[in-house]
Amino acid sequence: MNRQLKYARIEEERRFLLKTIPDDLNVEEPFHRIIDRYIPSTRLRLRRIESPSGETLVFKLGQKYQTPELDAHQTLMTNFYLDEAEYQVLTPLGGSTITKRRYRYQHAGFDYSLDVFEGNLNGLVLAEIESHSEVDISPLP
């Protein structure tokens, strides 16, 4: 077994920059608010996921990176699930923070994660699709 893959999983994804929020997305629908803090000089991301009411659902520390063996749509991803005390210990490490609302969105038979950014990135809208095989996402419209 490749040592790099012992604890990491390959994530296959494609992202699309959208001009606006799709007309058929109801922004009142359920979403998760994601607060990401990118720790300086590392590949680490501290993530808090909240419900629309602000209740914390998940704390995670993640590492996402590419290697020469992977193609352009693939990254290696490792997550550690944290409790609140562990999250608070890591928070002082600082870093750039990005906040977004994540919706589930279906288009042309594909399931996307649709990220609507808040704060300094307000107005940015990204659609992302993940797959377990390149065949699943290669024929996207």
Side-chain angles (χ1 to χ4, degrees):
M1 171 183 280
N2 183 336
R3 283 183 62 92
Q4 278 186 309
L5 297 179
K6 185 172 181 179
Y7 298 105
R9 70 176 174 90
I10 293 178
E11 187 176 72
E12 178 112 18
E13 62 188 6
R14 290 180 67 186
R15 291 188 182 122
F16 303 90
L17 178 63
L18 305 182
K19 291 181 183 178
T20 61
I21 297 171
D23 291 336
D24 59 340
L25 178 72
N26 180 356
V27 294
E28 302 304 319
E29 290 291 320
F31 64 88
H32 289 109
R33 178 165 281 108
I34 298 173
I35 300 98
D36 285 333
R37 181 176 301 212
Y38 294 88
I39 299 172
S41 303
T42 74
R43 300 177 293 185
L44 301 176
R45 176 187 69 201
L46 192 58
R47 175 170 277 186
R48 184 174 77 232
I49 302 175
E50 299 176 346
S51 70
S53 66
E55 174 191 3
T56 298
L57 303 172
V58 177
F59 295 108
K60 293 196 270 187
L61 177 65
Q63 181 187 48
K64 193 173 190 176
Y65 60 97
Q66 288 189 294
T67 65
E69 299 83 32
L70 300 175
D71 71 31
H73 299 297
Q74 294 178 320
T75 56
L76 287 176
M77 181 71 189
T78 304
N79 277 311
F80 295 92
Y81 289 85
L82 308 172
D83 63 24
E84 186 171 2
E86 292 166 329
Y87 179 85
Q88 295 302 330
V89 166
L90 297 170
T91 299
L93 294 174
S96 300
T97 301
I98 294 174
T99 303
K100 59 191 175 187
R101 288 175 281 142
R102 177 164 287 169
Y103 297 89
R104 295 180 78 175
Y105 181 69
Q106 198 168 62
H107 175 72
F110 291 96
D111 293 317
Y112 293 85
S113 294
L114 193 85
D115 291 339
V116 178
F117 288 76
E118 300 176 345
N120 292 340
L121 295 176
N122 191 39
L124 178 64
V125 181
L126 289 177
E128 178 181 294
I129 188 166
E130 286 189 36
S131 174
H132 298 291
S133 76
E134 191 172 321
V135 175
D136 292 345
I137 62 173
S138 58
L140 288 176

